Amino acid sequence: IDLKIVEDRSSNCALVSRKKTRKKMFARLGTFRTRVVNVTKNSLAAVGFVTTLYAIREYNEYNGTALFPISNNGENNNNEGDDVDKKKKVLVIPFHQMKIVEQKKTSGLGTLLQSISPGGDDDKVVEVELRSLINTIHEAAADPEIVALYGTFGNGFRFDCGGYAHVEEVRDAIRVFNESHRRHYERNDRRGILQMKIQHDKGKGKGGQKQKQKNLEEDEEEEQQDQEPVQKYSFAYADTFDHPVDSANKEYFLASAFSNIQMQPRGNLNLFGVSTSNTFFYGALEKYGLKAHVFKHGKYKNAPNALTETGYTKSHLENTKSIVESINSTIFSSITHSRNLYSTFTPKVWQAVHDYGTLTATNAREVNLIDYTPRIDPLTELVSLNKIDDTNHTTKDFKSNGNGSKDDITNLESEEDLKRIEYLKKRWTWLKDQSFTANEIISMDKYMKVLSKREKGLKTKYKLNKMLNQVAEKNGVSKVLLSSIGMNAPHFNIDEQEYDEHYNKEPREKIAIVHINGGINDAVARKVVKSLREIKKDKATKAVIFRVDSPGGAVTASETILEECKDMQKPVICSFSNVAASGGYYVSSFADRIFASPTTLTGSIGVFGIKFDATAFARSYGVEVDFVKSGKHASAFSPFHPLTKQMKQNFERNMNKVYSYFKEIVSEGRKLDLGEVEQIARGRVWTGEQAKEIGLVDQIGGMNSAVLYAKRKYCSGGFADVEVWPKPLSLKDRLLKLSEADAFVSDAPIVDNSNTYIQSILNGGINPSVFVGLQSANGVFLTIDETTALHFLLKEALEKTQ
């Protein structure tokens, strides 16, 4: 019985075991079935996805969109050999309708309404940022559809910019356009950066760098073979170049960079030479009982002379003459070079042009300062003629084929139209011979929108690449199918070299540009420091560029920026604009490299302070001010307390301390002996060209040169995104700022600016509240000249009264 029981238990266990085995088998079959279904679905989805991508790629290539390359080399040959339909555009830049600025103003209500209002006056003057204008010209130089540049200057009265350095940087961009058929290391497009990188790597030549350099050179040779560069030409047209105020004529200085200059026959050209003036208010101040006690260090620190002198001192005149001669020499050499007048345009001829006075169009053409004198602007008719010529259409063809119908390729409707065409061909033969081949006009505004659209297209392309990589990682079938249509992982829709050198770096490397514009006061210092602290946190930012366009300002504000700069722990490069002097140089003294244009005004390493004394002025109105104080210096900054011996000693001691420290930081930052610094300091202002010779500047070049240097030296592959600081306010922030400004409107009388203030003195009346501001505005200043100093001082004072 016991044995039987055991056998029964054994058979039951076997039965249970078989049932479990069947269940596992069916479960595995179910899992396998599910996997087969999922794989089938994913494969079909992948096929559909890749098929869709292929269709989109073909559509984009047909429409010229660069979201998908035809090959991994990024070549696009779908229009090869189609020269008849090739667009040849001329980019028109209306310089007479623009004001070139470092940064657009975005806080004013008028600017805000202008930016959101539709349409507008076609003849209005608009602000254009210098960097945006230069980048646009560089993009045109690299764009195969743009074959010519056309600058218009109108009647010669409306061109506006910050100074000569702005003109030089735009001239340099036009030179790059004219030489776009040559190798260039200065363009902001990929090819320019690639050539710059080859040159940079040649200097290294160690280990793997040699092979990398060889690969880059091979890529460059292939690119040159695939895209044979075509020389481009630039043309300028003006009704006249006789600006009534600008004696040195910045308009013509800019126009001379163009390949061809045209001016109306009745137009004139004024090249009277560089001129500057200074206004001295000592006599007016003395007349009304106002006295300025000035404490300064530096033989050439002429900033406060407007308040203490009746004319130029010997040192003031020496420094001013040196600046004028240097700028005039730069203009002469630049025009001589761009116009190729080496054999005929000597310094004596240049001086003779100055002394002769106004040149007629005929005179200007005789000395080769202009090329042609058409009665009207020929642009529109030239483009129309080129459009007809590009269709290989002649009068004979028209008579035999077209019969004047609207279906004809030229849309000509009568025999008179043909005669008109023949007349225009004879009329503009001389200019067509100058290689003007454009058959379509594109305005600068429209072209900038095209560039913006391209930039958005690039961002879309990068986003698409991320999506393709994610799909390929999750599904091997998709990866194989994408490879079958020419999209190999991981670059897929991006050029292989671009991907390896730029795109696959996460986070993307960046260069930060920090603007320091205008007088340096506490408000400017706060903005700059806030920007620098944000940049310091960003690991992707590899270098910082200070773009300085400042005549100086307060010592403490300048010191705040300098110390923050020294604490950056990132390379700092300085790019000087029109002026970077005194406080503007102070904040730049520890930069790793300084760039300046030949006409930049810089230096002015000196210091001054002012103590105003208005006691005689107050007494003349029957006002007496008395003080109760616990210390000898308690009323030192009051304009209603005369200067005492103890106050004078204290002021002089402060000036000595600040000047010594200024020289020390220049010596340490520029790695110069203190003795050398003293010789080039003393408050003297230098042009960029002079500053390069004495060691205050490292390299001659504008903003573009500084950016390319930073990319080459501090960014791998020479590629980097550029961020501008302080960042522009959004529409919401601008509206909030306007509403906050409205909340602080005061009913107290205010003086608008220094000119109004000075005029009020001359007229015998003054707003007493200004002296309250002057009391707190007394202090130590780092500014370049007396006009700037006075304006800055009064502005500070007036801000205190508001």
Side-chain angles (χ1 to χ4, degrees):
I1 295 173
D2 292 337
L3 289 172
K4 188 176 181 181
I5 292 172
V6 172
E7 289 174 359
D8 289 341
R9 286 180 176 176
S10 179
S11 64
N12 288 336
C13 288
L15 180 62
V16 172
S17 179
R18 284 195 295 270
K19 288 182 178 179
K20 288 182 177 179
T21 302
R22 290 192 194 101
K23 285 183 179 179
K24 288 181 179 179
M25 182 181 68
F26 283 118
R28 288 174 180 173
L29 286 172
T31 302
F32 178 74
R33 176 181 172 278
T34 303
R35 288 180 178 177
V36 170
V37 171
N38 288 338
V39 169
T40 304
K41 287 181 178 179
N42 291 337
S43 298
L44 291 173
V47 172
F49 174 70
V50 174
T51 304
T52 304
L53 283 179
Y54 184 80
I56 294 173
R57 190 189 77 167
E58 291 300 314
Y59 174 79
N60 284 323
E61 291 296 343
Y62 177 78
N63 286 279
T65 309
L67 293 180
F68 298 89
I70 287 180
S71 68
N72 289 334
N73 295 325
E75 298 172 0
N76 187 348
N77 300 320
N78 60 317
N79 288 325
E80 240 180 55
D82 191 10
D83 294 332
V84 175
D85 296 331
K86 183 180 178 182
K87 293 181 179 179
K88 293 182 286 187
K89 299 178 181 178
V90 53
L91 175 61
V92 179
I93 304 181
F95 288 105
H96 63 295
Q97 291 179 299
M98 66 173 61
K99 179 180 180 181
I100 301 174
V101 296
E102 284 292 324
Q103 278 186 302
K104 288 183 180 179
K105 295 178 181 178
T106 57
S107 58
L109 178 60
T111 305
L112 175 60
L113 294 176
Q114 180 182 353
S115 65
I116 62 177
S117 61
D121 183 10
D122 291 337
D123 203 36
K124 66 183 178 183
V125 176
V126 297
E127 285 188 343
V128 177
E129 291 186 356
L130 176 67
R131 184 167 174 270
S132 176
L133 174 60
I134 291 173
N135 287 348
T136 300
I137 297 174
H138 284 179
E139 289 290 345
D143 191 338
E145 287 191 354
I146 304 295
V147 298
L149 200 65
Y150 200 91
T152 59
F153 291 86
N155 57 17
F157 289 75
R158 300 179 62 182
F159 174 67
D160 192 7
C161 67
Y164 292 106
H166 278 177
V167 176
E168 285 191 282
E169 293 198 45
V170 179
R171 277 178 52 89
D172 194 58
I174 295 168
R175 177 183 61 81
V176 170
F177 182 91
N178 293 338
E179 299 174 357
S180 55
H181 60 294
R182 301 178 183 175
R183 281 191 166 205
H184 256 287
Y185 305 93
E186 302 171 57
R187 288 209 308 262
N188 274 331
D189 60 295
R190 176 184 171 279
R191 185 177 175 189
I193 294 173
L194 178 64
Q195 291 168 347
M196 177 188 65
K197 193 174 187 304
I198 293 171
Q199 186 72 10
H200 176 62
D201 288 340
K202 281 182 179 179
K204 294 183 177 180
K206 293 181 180 181
Q209 291 293 340
K210 290 184 177 180
Q211 182 61 38
K212 197 172 182 181
Q213 173 193 331
K214 183 179 179 181
N215 293 339
L216 287 170
E217 289 176 339
E218 288 175 356
D219 290 340
E220 173 64 11
E221 289 175 5
E222 289 177 7
E223 187 171 349
Q224 284 188 334
Q225 291 172 3
D226 294 339
Q227 293 182 340
E228 188 65 30
V230 178
Q231 184 170 3
K232 300 183 179 184
Y233 297 89
S234 55
F235 303 81
Y237 177 84
D239 296 332
T240 185
F241 283 113
D242 58 350
H243 198 290
V245 178
D246 185 5
S247 61
N249 207 327
K250 295 184 187 70
E251 289 170 315
Y252 180 78
F253 183 30
L254 174 55
S256 65
F258 287 79
S259 311
N260 185 287
I261 306 176
Q262 308 157 61
M263 186 171 70
Q264 197 182 81
R266 299 279 74 80
N268 295 317
L269 173 59
N270 289 343
L271 287 173
F272 298 158
V274 179
S275 172
T276 185
S277 64
N278 296 91
T279 306
F280 300 92
F281 298 101
Y282 175 75
L285 295 176
E286 185 180 40
K287 178 179 179 180
Y288 291 99
L290 298 169
K291 189 172 184 179
H293 297 283
V294 172
F295 307 90
K296 66 176 184 176
H297 251 300
K299 175 183 176 181
Y300 299 98
K301 195 64 179 178
N302 304 307
N305 286 7
L307 305 175
T308 60
E309 305 293 339
T310 57
Y312 285 109
T313 62
K314 184 178 179 180
S315 58
H316 192 177
L317 184 61
E318 177 190 344
N319 196 182
T320 304
K321 279 186 175 181
S322 173
I323 294 168
V324 168
E325 289 171 0
S326 178
I327 294 175
N328 192 50
S329 175
T330 297
I331 294 173
F332 163 69
S333 59
S334 298
I335 292 175
T336 302
H337 175 74
S338 55
R339 297 289 298 165
N340 194 22
L341 301 175
Y342 295 106
S343 59
T344 59
F345 216 66
T346 63
K348 287 185 178 180
V349 174
W350 180 245
Q351 187 61 49
V353 168
H354 289 341
D355 297 339
Y356 180 81
T358 300
L359 298 175
T360 65
T362 304
N363 297 147
R365 191 172 180 182
E366 287 172 351
V367 291
N368 294 319
L369 292 176
I370 64 171
D371 297 292
Y372 299 105
T373 55
R375 297 182 182 276
I376 62 171
D377 186 347
L379 178 62
T380 305
E381 292 184 349
L382 280 173
V383 169
S384 298
L385 284 174
N386 286 336
K387 192 177 295 184
I388 294 171
D389 287 347
D390 288 344
T391 64
N392 297 319
H393 192 82
T394 63
T395 306
K396 184 177 180 181
D397 294 332
F398 175 83
K399 289 179 179 179
S400 60
N401 300 328
N403 294 325
S405 67
K406 291 186 177 181
D407 292 332
D408 184 78
I409 196 167
T410 58
N411 292 324
L412 301 177
E413 297 183 355
S414 67
E415 198 72 28
E416 293 180 1
D417 292 333
L418 291 172
K419 292 179 180 179
R420 174 69 176 170
I421 292 298
E422 294 299 329
Y423 166 73
L424 292 177
K425 284 183 177 181
K426 293 178 181 178
R427 182 180 188 180
W428 301 118
T429 298
W430 53 270
L431 190 52
K432 281 176 66 62
D433 291 341
Q434 300 300 312
S435 300
F436 186 89
T437 59
N439 56 25
E440 184 177 337
I441 297 174
I442 183 168
S443 66
M444 181 177 168
D445 181 57
K446 185 176 179 181
Y447 189 62
M448 291 178 77
K449 290 177 180 177
V450 169
L451 295 179
S452 177
K453 188 176 179 181
R454 288 180 187 173
E455 184 66 26
K456 290 178 181 177
L458 286 175
K459 290 179 180 179
T460 303
K461 182 172 71 170
Y462 294 148
K463 288 179 182 178
L464 180 60
N465 182 271
K466 282 187 176 181
M467 184 186 73
L468 292 174
N469 271 290
Q470 291 170 358
V471 170
E473 288 175 4
K474 294 179 180 179
N475 192 307
V477 176
S478 298
K479 186 175 181 179
V480 173
L481 291 172
L482 286 168
S483 179
S484 69
I485 63 170
M487 294 187 183
N488 297 321
H491 35 78
F492 292 114
N493 63 320
I494 297 179
D495 177 83
E496 185 173 355
Q497 184 173 348
E498 180 185 355
Y499 183 90
D500 293 339
E501 296 183 353
H502 179 50
Y503 177 69
N504 65 340
K505 292 175 175 60
E506 292 291 348
R508 296 273 291 279
E509 294 179 339
K510 292 185 287 188
I511 299 293
I513 297 176
V514 180
H515 282 274
I516 303 177
N517 297 328
I520 301 174
N521 54 23
D522 291 337
V524 172
R526 284 195 298 271
K527 288 181 181 179
V528 173
V529 168
K530 182 180 179 181
S531 298
L532 292 178
R533 289 179 180 174
E534 289 293 325
I535 294 167
K536 192 187 301 184
K537 299 175 187 176
D538 188 358
K539 294 181 180 179
T541 301
K542 300 303 178 183
V544 180
I545 297 176
F546 274 3
R547 176 64 172 180
V548 184
D549 192 15
S550 171
V555 170
T556 52
S558 301
E559 176 69 10
T560 299
I561 296 174
L562 174 63
E563 289 301 323
E564 197 68 34
C565 171
K566 289 162 69 175
D567 193 53
M568 274 302 292
Q569 299 174 352
K570 294 179 187 286
V572 176
I573 300 161
C574 279
S575 170
F576 291 167
S577 183
N578 299 296
V579 57
S582 206
Y585 194 84
Y586 189 104
V587 301
S588 311
S589 54
F590 271 77
D592 295 273
R593 195 166 188 84
I594 297 178
F595 290 79
S597 296
T599 56
T600 297
L601 298 182
T602 188
S604 191
I605 301 169
V607 61
F608 75 92
I610 299 175
K611 153 69 176 164
F612 274 100
D613 184 355
T615 52
F617 172 79
R619 193 173 292 116
S620 66
Y621 282 90
V623 177
E624 294 289 344
V625 181
D626 208 351
F627 295 87
V628 177
K629 52 188 179 179
S630 60
K632 294 181 179 180
H633 302 285
S635 56
F637 290 107
S638 171
F640 299 108
H641 195 293
L643 181 71
T644 65
K645 182 178 179 180
Q646 292 83 359
M647 292 178 185
K648 181 179 180 181
Q649 290 174 345
N650 185 52
F651 279 123
E652 289 176 344
R653 186 167 58 248
N654 286 339
M655 294 305 105
N656 291 336
K657 180 177 64 177
V658 175
Y659 182 56
S660 296
Y661 180 67
F662 198 166
K663 290 189 294 182
E664 286 173 8
I665 64 171
V666 172
S667 173
E668 184 181 353
R670 300 301 300 163
K671 296 178 175 55
L672 298 170
D673 292 335
L674 274 173
E676 293 180 73
V677 174
E678 174 61 28
Q679 291 300 314
I680 60 180
R682 296 183 292 173
R684 180 154 189 163
V685 180
W686 307 91
T687 62
E689 195 166 24
Q690 294 170 334
K692 171 70 167 58
E693 295 174 359
I694 61 177
L696 290 179
V697 166
D698 296 300
Q699 186 170 331
I700 296 297
M703 167 68 86
N704 187 57
S705 299
V707 171
L708 292 179
Y709 173 83
K711 288 181 178 181
R712 182 192 70 186
K713 190 169 181 66
Y714 303 111
C715 300
S716 54
F719 295 96
D721 294 332
V722 177
E723 279 190 343
V724 178
W725 296 78
K727 292 185 176 180
L729 296 174
S730 64
L731 178 60
K732 179 182 178 181
D733 291 337
R734 290 162 69 182
L735 290 172
L736 287 173
K737 189 173 181 180
L738 286 172
S739 63
E740 289 172 3
D742 292 339
F744 289 96
V745 173
S746 171
D747 293 330
I750 59 173
V751 184
D752 295 335
N753 52 49
S754 59
N755 291 330
T756 307
Y757 170 66
I758 295 165
Q759 191 62 45
S760 66
I761 295 176
L762 298 177
N763 292 338
I766 191 167
N767 182 352
S769 64
V770 172
F771 285 106
V772 179
L774 286 174
Q775 180 170 342
S776 57
N778 283 272
V780 185
F781 299 94
L782 304 169
T783 58
I784 184 173
D785 58 34
E786 58 272 23
T787 305
T788 303
L790 184 62
H791 185 274
F792 181 81
L793 177 68
L794 295 173
K795 181 180 179 182
E796 289 281 290
L798 293 169
E799 286 177 352
K800 299 290 184 181
T801 67
Q802 294 182 26

